[in-house]
Amino acid sequence: MPRRTKDSPLDRLVGALANPTRRDILDALLEREQTVSELAARFDMARPSVSEHLAALRDGGLVDERTSGRHRYYTVTAGPLRELADWLTPYERFWRGRLRDLGTVLDEMPDEMPHEMPDHRHDHPHDHEGRR
Amino acid sequence: MTTDPTTTDVQDDPTRITVDQFYPHPPERVWRALTTPELIAQWLMPNDFRPELGHRFTMRGRPVEATKFSGVVASTVLAIDPPRLLRISWADAEGGNAMETTVTWTLHAEGTGTRLLLEQVGFGADNPVDQLSRRFMSGGWRSQILTRLGELLDAGA
């Protein structure tokens, strides 16, 4: 059996993204869930072409579908995209998380800290409060 | 100043990261959180930082598989101008990913609060992750979709 090179979930995901139209579709779906007809109208494409792209995106784990009445809506799946974001931009994600935590520290830290003022630093950290 | 750069989290330059964040606290308070070892440990990593030009220190975090980061950051204080600017070098202490970057925090008073700009520069353009992201992230897609994605994820999707 020939060795398959495009068989991992990540390969399918990257393959799904390797097409500018599919990235546009994904971008549109990030705004809200949409039907094939809506997407076809938006991108001025034939519906079968849109369906084909959606199948590739679904295969890559990037979109999901749900049926409501006569309509089938396509929506972005957060899980794989979260992994993708972590993978593509690990440091942006890292810093956003750290800066959120910094916000918590800022909200909770005391107004004055003894080591803020080296001049007043003593063995007893509260000495500077009531200098007698 | 013409436009308000509210969210410039993700850029198209793969060798540079900029994140900005507004805090409803004055720059002096933000500066204290950025330069006090005990406070740095609370939001970043345990460390032996000292607010002195040229001081070498390490920070110990968790290894990151995706970027081959060993978990230990080796840094030097490159510039310090309280309460406006702090620049440190940021390298993997164990050379796991041979990363050698610079992190700069810039504090801007904004009303009664502070806008903190974080910039990390020097990511290798030949890093495989960067190469891959560039291949797929052309034409503004990276900034558009990832910014929106960040909002989506932050909203708890």
Side-chain angles (χ1 to χ4, degrees), chain A residues 65-73:
Chain A
E65 58 185 55
R66 71 171 185 92
T67 310
S68 172
R70 295 188 298 115
H71 298 290
R72 185 175 291 172
Y73 290 93

Side-chain angles (χ1 to χ4, degrees), chain A residues 33-70:
Chain A
E33 60 175 13
Q34 291 175 61
T35 63
V36 171
S37 308
E38 286 176 295
L39 290 167
R42 176 173 182 148
F43 294 110
D44 196 18
M45 284 170 62
R47 287 174 51 175
S49 310
V50 173
S51 295
E52 218 169 289
H53 285 307
L54 284 168
L57 288 169
R58 200 176 45 218
D59 200 36
L62 289 161
V63 304
D64 220 338
E65 58 185 55
R66 71 171 185 92
T67 310
S68 172
R70 295 188 298 115

